[in-house]
Amino acid sequence: MKSIAIILVSERSRHLAETILKEYPDAEIHPLTHVGELFSKSDALVFIGAMGICIRTIAPYIRDKYTDPAIVNIDSTGQFVVSVLSGHVGGANELSTALARVLGAQEVITTQSDGLGLWALDTIGKKYGWKTETSEANLNAPITLFVNDKRVALLLDIKDSGTAYMERTKPPHVDLFYNIADIEWKEYELFIAVTPKIYREVPVPAIYYRPSVLHLGMGCRRQCSSTGVAGYLEEALTGFGYSPLSIASLSSIELKKDEPMLHELATHFGAPLHIFSDRELDGVEVPNPSKKVEEVTSVPSVSEASSIMAAKGGALLLEKQKGALSAGNEFTFALAQDRASVRAGHIEIVGAGPGDPELVSVKGKRFLQQADLILYAGSLVPIELTHYAKAGATVRSSASMSLEEQFEIMKEFYDKGLLVVRLHTGDPCIYGAIQEQMALFDAHDMSYHITPGISSFQAAAAALRSQFTIPEKVQTIILTRGEGRTMMPEKEKLHLLARSQSTMCIFLSAGIVRDVQAQLLEHYPPTTPVAACYKLTWKDERIYRGELKDLAKIVEENNLTLTTMIVVGEAIDNRHGLSRLYADEFKHLFRT
C-alpha cells in the first residue's frame, strides 16, 4: 500500500490504531470527518468502528473497483477485520489478511474466489507482471463462469513463476494444456491462456494474460521518421499472431542509440530500450546476415541480432522484416522470445538440505513435485525426499553412476522438453560436486539453475544451540576439510587456518581425525570445545561434545564415519557477548 488512512470512529479504539501504526509507520490516523478528502487520494482507508458507520460514510464517494481505494473495517474490539470494498483490484483482501495478523484477529473476506480458494482472475495478471485482455466486454462474465465451476481449458504457452503457480494450484474444473491444438472446445465453457500469441478462432469466452517475453530488435535509417511506425508495428505483430502487449524490450546497435524513433517507440510500448555494442552483436548467429548492413554498422545484422541478444539467446520468432512508411525512412524489425520463458527442457540443481525432508526449501520441494526426473545423490540424500515426486515421475539414484552416465540420463529427459531435478545433499555449492556437471551443461548450451539448500554446518549450529559468531570473540566461520585423498592447497592447510581460532566446521574428515586434531592443536588451546556431529537432522543423528584434546578419541570410540561434521571453537555453547544490534542506536534498523 502506498498510503493508508486509519479512520478512528471512537477514541476507545485508539490502541488498535496505534498497534497498526507500529507495523505501518507511514499510515496516519484521521477523524471520520476527513473521509471525503481522503477517499480520492488514499490507497486504503481502514475504519475502526461499527460497519454501518463505515458503509454510510463511504457511500457518497463510491465509483468503481478500478479507482476506489481499498476499504477495510475493524470492529471496535479488534476481533474481526472485514474487507469491505475493492477486495481484489484495490488490495483490500490482502490488507485485511495482513491487519488480521497484526491484531491477532479473524479476517472476513467474502469475495467468492477467495472463499473457494480459487485464482483471483482480475488481479493475478498484475501479481505476475502480465497484462490482461478478454474477449468479452469486461472480466465479470468470464470470472462468473470460473467461480461457478464451469469447465476451463488453461493454455500455458510460456513458463514463469506465475505459470508454475497455476500448474501447482490448478482447481479440479480446470484442464491444463501446452498446445492449443489439443483442446476439444466442445468440452469447455471458458478459455484462459498465458501467452504472447493471438488466437483468432476461440469459440468460448476467453481471458488472455500477456507476459512480457517478446524482444523487438530494430534497425533504421539515420533520423528515420517515427510517424505511424508504432501503429505499423502493432498491426504487423498482430498479423503474425503476436500480441504487442507482450513486448518486453526494444533493442538496437550503439550506432542508433540517439535515434528519436527508437526512444519514441520504447515510450509507446512502455518497454526499455537496450543498446548493444557492435562487438556484442558481431558474434550472434542470424538467418539473414547482410553485407549492406555490415558496410554501415560493421556487423552483418542489427534487428535480428539485437532481438536475440535482448532475449538472452532466445528463439527468433520473426526473422528480419522491412518497413517504410515514406521515402528515405526505411526500418527493419525482428522478434525473439525470452529464453527463460520458453517451454523446453530444464535442469534444476536442488539443495536437499542436511537430511530432514522438511528442511528442503519450499522452492526445492516444488521442483521435486514438478520434476519428470529426480536424480538424487544416493545414500547422501534421504530417500524420503524423493517421496515428493509426482505420479509417473522417474526417480533414480546416482550412487552407482559415472559422471557420463548421470549426464546421459539427464540429457535424455532434457531433450524431451522435460524438467530434471538433480538433488544434492546440503547446499550444492559446498562440496556438492556440481562444477563438472555444470561444465557439461554449458558445453551443450542447456538451461539450468541452482536452488540453494540448508548446509549441514547450519544444521550443526542449530543442533548445538550455538551461535557460531560471538561479538568481540569470534566473527569468522571457516568451512573446510582435512587433507585425505583430495589434496588441499598449500595455503589452506588446517594448521594455517587454525591460526585465527575462528569457528571451524570441518567436512568429510572423520577418517583422518588424528591428523585433523594434531593440526588444530598447533593453535587452538587443548580445552577448546569441539563437537562431532553424525548425520545431522537424520533420524539416527548423534552428537558428541568434548574438548579438542579428546577429539580423535570421541570419533574413533563412537565409530563415526564420513557423514560426520567436526566443529571446533569457543562459540560452541557460548552464552557470553551481546550483539550491538540490541543497542538503542540500531533500533531504527528493525522498523519497516
Side-chain angles (χ1 to χ4, degrees), residues 123 150 170 226 249 329-330 341 356 358 362 432 438 547:
T123 59
K150 302 303 181 183
K170 181 180 69 65
S226 62
S249 75
N329 289 303
E330 296 87 358
S341 73
D356 185 339
E358 293 186 344
V362 173
M438 293 191 295
E547 295 180 342

Side-chain angles (χ1 to χ4, degrees), residues 23-201:
E23 296 297 321
Y24 296 89
D26 293 331
E28 295 180 347
I29 300 175
H30 297 271
L32 199 61
T33 54
H34 288 185
V35 170
E37 60 184 273
L38 292 169
F39 198 90
S40 61
K41 67 179 185 180
S42 300
D43 293 300
L45 273 62
V46 178
F47 285 77
I48 303 179
M51 176 70 78
I53 295 174
C54 169
I55 297 298
R56 285 192 294 272
T57 305
I58 65 173
Y61 310 108
I62 296 174
R63 295 292 178 267
D64 63 74
K65 66 180 181 180
Y66 298 104
T67 58
D68 291 338
I71 305 294
V72 174
N73 190 85
I74 303 171
D75 70 287
S76 58
T77 65
Q79 295 185 64
F80 299 100
V81 181
V82 184
S83 175
V84 178
L85 188 70
S86 297
H88 283 317
V89 178
N93 292 355
E94 183 180 356
L95 181 59
S96 295
T97 299
L99 291 175
R101 289 171 180 163
V102 170
L103 299 174
Q106 173 67 55
E107 76 261 35
V108 179
I109 297 174
T110 58
T111 309
Q112 187 173 2
S113 57
D114 287 273
L116 296 173
L118 300 174
W119 303 324
L121 297 182
D122 50 353
T123 59
I124 194 172
K126 182 178 180 181
K127 181 177 181 179
Y128 292 107
W130 307 329
K131 297 181 177 68
T132 304
E133 286 187 306
T134 179
S135 61
E136 307 304 292
N138 54 53
L139 287 172
N140 293 338
I143 289 175
T144 299
L145 292 170
F146 179 68
V147 299
N148 285 318
D149 289 344
K150 302 303 181 183
R151 291 198 65 189
V152 179
L154 172 65
L155 176 69
L156 303 179
D157 276 334
I158 61 102
K159 65 176 182 180
D160 62 9
S161 60
T163 60
Y165 167 76
M166 297 183 92
E167 288 174 297
R168 190 170 64 249
T169 60
K170 181 180 69 65
H173 65 290
V174 174
D175 292 334
L176 179 59
F177 297 91
Y178 299 108
N179 188 332
I180 195 170
D182 296 333
I183 301 174
E184 293 287 344
W185 293 111
K186 63 184 179 183
E187 298 181 10
Y188 300 99
E189 295 186 50
L190 177 63
F191 177 57
I192 299 174
V194 183
T195 180
K197 298 178 182 178
I198 294 174
Y199 295 109
R200 293 183 172 84
E201 297 182 3

Side-chain angles (χ1 to χ4, degrees), residues 399-444:
S400 62
M401 296 182 185
S402 66
L403 175 63
E404 290 73 21
E405 289 171 330
Q406 294 172 30
F407 177 72
E408 184 177 336
I409 188 172
M410 286 190 285
K411 191 171 187 300
E412 176 188 343
F413 278 75
Y414 181 96
D415 288 345
K416 293 177 182 177
L418 300 175
L419 173 62
V420 175
V421 166
R422 181 66 173 111
L423 191 60
H424 279 269
T425 183
D427 183 272
C429 77
I430 303 174
Y431 305 114
I434 62 173
Q435 182 175 342
E436 301 93 332
Q437 297 172 69
M438 293 191 295
L440 288 169
F441 301 155
D442 289 339
H444 289 80

Side-chain angles (χ1 to χ4, degrees), residues 230-261:
Y232 177 91
L233 289 173
E234 288 187 348
E235 186 176 343
L237 293 177
T238 300
F240 283 112
Y242 297 103
S243 172
L245 293 177
S246 283
I247 292 179
S249 75
L250 270 75
S251 57
S252 193
I253 193 169
E254 192 168 9
L255 180 66
K256 303 295 181 181
K257 66 180 181 179
D258 295 322
E259 286 291 336
M261 183 188 76

Side-chain angles (χ1 to χ4, degrees), residues 483-495:
E483 185 171 40
R485 286 180 297 177
T486 301
M487 301 296 291
M488 293 292 288
E490 191 63 35
K491 61 186 177 182
E492 294 181 23
K493 301 287 187 180
L494 273 180
H495 69 90

